[in-house]
Amino acid sequence: MKKLFPSLAVAGAFVAGTNIVSAKVAAVALLVQEGAPEAERGFTQLLKEMFITGGAGFMGIVLLCLILGLAVAIERIIYLNMASTNSAKLKQQVEDALASGGVEAAKEVCRNTKGPVASIYYQGLDRAGESIESAEKAVVAYGGVQMGQLEKNVSWLSLFIAIAPMLGFMGTVIGMIAAFQKIAAVGNLSASLIAGDIQVALLTTVFGLITAIILQIFYNYIIAKIDSIVNDMEDSSITLIDMLVDHKK
């Protein structure tokens, strides 16, 4: 159920985002055709018109990067928030269960608690009957597995951050090439002749940079969240081994 909810959120974000953008772009195109008064157009309206002016080719690809990147970011944020645990409270509960009911009671506490910290506690307690060294190895190994789960799909987010401005720059280069081709064909330099191509070229760069900035903010938040959870996992691992050593005495 925990995996199903983030997946549904990603699918919903992708479908809803695509439909909303398509509907808004169509509405803007209709307004432009009908000659909507300039006074009635706000910042959002102007942004949509600039998107249409930039062309469906590169602008559509940049928009797709933004939608997919936001979908990945939302899924990761949901997952990481669900994986967060009150480590101090869990430590106290496990310690009390060990003192009163032994290892099985402590394992039951971990079963009823969500998050990677509780899972690491459970793996260590499950090997506690063998030796402290076995429990420590199980904690370290399972900690690596949990870290991989936390970092899942984050590489895709960094990919979208990297390629969005590159696509924008590529659109700029193509626009400038088209402008110089017009100059070469006409034989003289006229600002009105190449202004449209230069505007399209610069708009692709602007939207590529905007996409990268938005996704970078989400990326930094996600990385900070992962680091926080990993620190909790490492502290909890040390705490668990100390508890098992005291319990064996």
Side-chain angles (χ1 to χ4, degrees):
M1 188 65 184
K2 289 169 67 177
K3 293 182 179 179
L4 179 61
F5 182 65
S7 300
L8 290 175
V10 171
F14 177 76
V15 174
T18 305
N19 292 339
I20 290 171
V21 169
S22 300
K24 288 184 175 179
V25 169
V28 172
L30 182 61
L31 285 173
V32 172
Q33 291 174 0
E34 294 176 354
E38 188 68 27
E40 296 178 4
R41 298 175 190 173
F43 175 76
T44 306
Q45 196 77 9
L46 180 62
L47 198 63
K48 294 172 188 173
E49 292 179 13
M50 291 170 64
F51 178 86
I52 295 172
T53 305
F58 282 96
M59 299 293 270
I61 300 174
V62 172
L63 179 62
L64 183 62
C65 289
L66 177 60
I67 293 173
L68 293 176
L70 288 175
V72 172
I74 291 169
E75 186 272 336
R76 282 293 87 191
I77 290 171
I78 292 173
Y79 180 86
L80 293 173
N81 284 330
M82 292 175 68
S84 299
T85 308
N86 189 338
S87 301
K89 181 180 178 181
L90 178 61
K91 170 187 172 295
Q92 191 60 49
Q93 288 176 340
V94 170
E95 196 169 8
D96 294 342
L98 270 175
S100 59
V103 173
E104 290 302 320
K107 286 167 65 176
E108 187 63 28
V109 171
C110 295
R111 279 195 208 98
N112 297 329
T113 307
K114 63 179 178 66
V117 174
S119 298
I120 288 174
Y121 269 156
Y122 183 87
Q123 293 298 320
L125 291 166
D126 197 39
R127 298 290 192 280
E130 300 173 13
S131 65
I132 298 297
E133 289 76 15
S134 297
E136 188 173 359
K137 288 179 181 178
V139 166
V140 172
Y142 201 71
V145 173
Q146 289 296 317
M147 189 178 297
Q149 291 293 325
L150 294 174
E151 295 176 347
K152 183 179 178 182
N153 294 331
V154 175
S155 59
W156 286 105
L157 190 57
S158 60
L159 174 65
F160 294 136
I161 292 171
I163 65 174
M166 285 192 219
L167 290 170
F169 293 145
M170 187 182 295
T172 298
V173 172
I174 292 174
M176 296 301 292
I177 290 173
F180 283 113
Q181 285 176 341
K182 284 187 178 180
I183 294 173
V186 174
N188 65 333
L189 180 61
S190 173
S192 61
L193 179 67
I194 62 173
D197 291 321
I198 294 177
Q199 181 186 17
V200 170
L202 296 177
L203 283 174
T204 56
T205 299
V206 168
F207 275 87
L209 292 173
I210 289 174
T211 297
I213 290 169
I214 293 172
L215 295 181
Q216 185 68 53
I217 293 171
F218 282 99
Y219 178 82
N220 286 357
Y221 173 80
I222 289 169
I223 292 299
K225 192 75 174 175
I226 291 173
D227 289 342
S228 175
I229 295 175
V230 169
N231 287 335
D232 280 346
M233 288 164 53
E234 292 174 350
D235 291 342
S236 300
S237 300
I238 297 170
T239 302
L240 175 63
I241 299 303
D242 291 341
M243 284 192 293
L244 290 177
V245 170
D246 293 338
H247 181 70
K248 290 278 187 180
K249 292 179 180 178

